[in-house]
């Protein structure tokens, strides 16, 4: 009888209740509402620029958005993120609907959230008049587990997560997103002629 009373008092003790919900591991704390995910990318939205002079080129509006700890391999997500760079936002969403990779759904939802954020928080009048200026992938948290093998041996299992970052910029997309684009035949001919005309014979007049 005495042991039952002591046990009941211990159960009502607030310290034991706190210990019961205490997690000291970094993995479990990552899934809390205030997780320590990347925050620097969203800080670009809070940056305030000085007023522009009349002769300066107009600074286009942009919005940065992210989705953290996606249960998908960052190496596989890189192909999806690279595909939509330089596309208009509507074209990127349309193309992602036909991609049969699991991470395409998360990228498409992130783009749709960024469009909605641009209208509500950044005063963008036409969200369709935006293009994907940056599309990046980062490595997220990694859960480690064990896989049982024969003869009492164990193998390590790693469950990878990734972060996806996107920046939409107002305006029409550029003709060539990457600088080292293949040259046109006329451009190659002009470059070859320039090299031929710039030749010089050494030790000549």
């Amino acid at each position: 009888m005495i042991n039952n009373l002591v046990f009941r008092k211990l159960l009502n003790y607030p310290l034991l209740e706190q210990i019961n919900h205490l997690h000291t591991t970094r993995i479990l704390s990552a899934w809390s509402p205030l997780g320590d995910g990347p925050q620097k990318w969203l800080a670009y939205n809070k940056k305030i620029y000085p007023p522009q002079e009349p002769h300066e080129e107009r600074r286009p509006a942009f919005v940065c958005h992210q989705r953290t700890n996606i249960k998908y391999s960052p190496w596989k997500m890189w192909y999806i993120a690279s595909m939509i760079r330089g596309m208009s936002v509507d074209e990127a969403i349309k193309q992602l609907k036909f991609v049969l990779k699991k991470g395409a759904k998360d990228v498409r939802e992130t783009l749709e959230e960024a469009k909605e954020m641009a209208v509500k928080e950044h005063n963008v009048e036409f969200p369709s008049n935006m293009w994907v200026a940056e599309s990046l992938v980062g490595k997220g948290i990694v859960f480690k587990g064990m896989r049982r093998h024969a003869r009492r041996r164990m193998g390590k299992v790693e469950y990878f997560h990734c972060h996806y970052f996107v920046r939409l910029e107002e305006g029409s997309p550029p003709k060539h997103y990457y600088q080292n684009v293949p040259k046109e035949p006329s451009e190659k001919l002009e470059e070859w002629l320039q090299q031929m005309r710039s030749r010089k014979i050494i030790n000549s007049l």
Side-chain angles (χ1 to χ4, degrees):
M1 186 67 181
I2 297 175
N3 293 335
N4 289 337
L5 289 174
V6 173
F7 184 70
R8 288 177 184 175
K9 288 182 180 180
L10 287 175
L11 285 180
N12 295 329
Y13 195 66
L15 181 61
L16 288 180
E17 294 181 2
Q18 293 178 6
I19 294 175
N20 189 28
H21 299 285
L22 180 65
H23 301 291
T24 57
T25 59
R26 187 175 179 82
I27 294 177
L28 294 176
S29 64
W31 298 103
S32 62
L34 299 176
D36 52 351
Q39 300 295 330
K40 290 184 178 181
W41 186 253
L42 298 178
Y44 290 110
N45 293 330
K46 302 177 183 178
K47 187 175 180 180
I48 300 175
Y49 294 91
Q52 290 186 290
E53 297 293 335
H55 61 275
E56 291 183 353
E57 186 180 357
R58 179 179 173 273
R59 184 187 301 112
F62 69 90
V63 57
C64 296
H65 193 43
Q66 67 180 17
R67 178 170 285 195
T68 60
N69 288 324
I70 303 170
K71 181 61 185 71
Y72 198 59
S73 169
W75 297 277
K76 296 178 182 178
M77 183 70 86
W78 180 84
Y79 292 99
I80 305 171
S82 301
M83 185 193 72
I84 62 172
R85 290 174 190 160
M87 291 185 183
S88 63
V89 62
D90 290 339
E91 179 67 20
I93 293 173
K94 183 172 67 175
Q95 292 292 334
L96 287 169
K97 291 180 180 179
F98 297 96
V99 177
L100 300 179
K101 291 182 178 291
K102 187 176 71 173
K105 176 176 176 291
D106 295 285
V107 175
R108 178 167 51 85
E109 291 176 355
T110 308
L111 291 177
E112 292 172 350
E113 291 172 3
K115 279 182 63 177
E116 185 178 357
M117 187 190 303
V119 176
K120 291 184 178 179
E121 300 181 12
H122 296 272
N123 300 323
V124 176
E125 187 175 2
F126 302 107
S128 297
N129 187 28
M130 303 188 80
W131 63 285
V132 182
E134 292 185 68
S135 179
L136 310 170
V137 180
K139 186 177 178 182
I141 197 167
V142 181
F143 293 119
K144 295 183 180 180
M146 287 192 302
R147 179 181 285 122
R148 290 184 295 175
H149 292 280
R151 300 180 182 273
R152 298 182 184 178
R153 295 181 181 179
M154 295 292 176
K156 185 175 70 171
V157 185
E158 293 180 333
Y159 302 96
F160 290 96
H161 295 71
C162 67
H163 307 314
Y164 177 67
F165 310 94
V166 66
R167 182 171 72 90
L168 301 182
E169 192 172 299
E170 192 177 17
S172 57
K175 183 178 180 181
H176 299 294
Y177 179 78
Y178 296 101
Q179 293 182 353
N180 298 326
V181 294
K183 295 182 179 181
E184 298 292 332
S186 59
E187 295 176 352
K188 290 182 179 180
L189 177 61
E190 186 66 29
E191 185 181 356
W192 180 79
L193 287 174
Q194 189 66 26
Q195 290 177 358
M196 294 295 105
R197 289 166 182 165
S198 62
R199 290 182 299 176
K200 182 180 178 181
I201 301 176
I202 302 175
N203 298 327
S204 64
L205 295 178

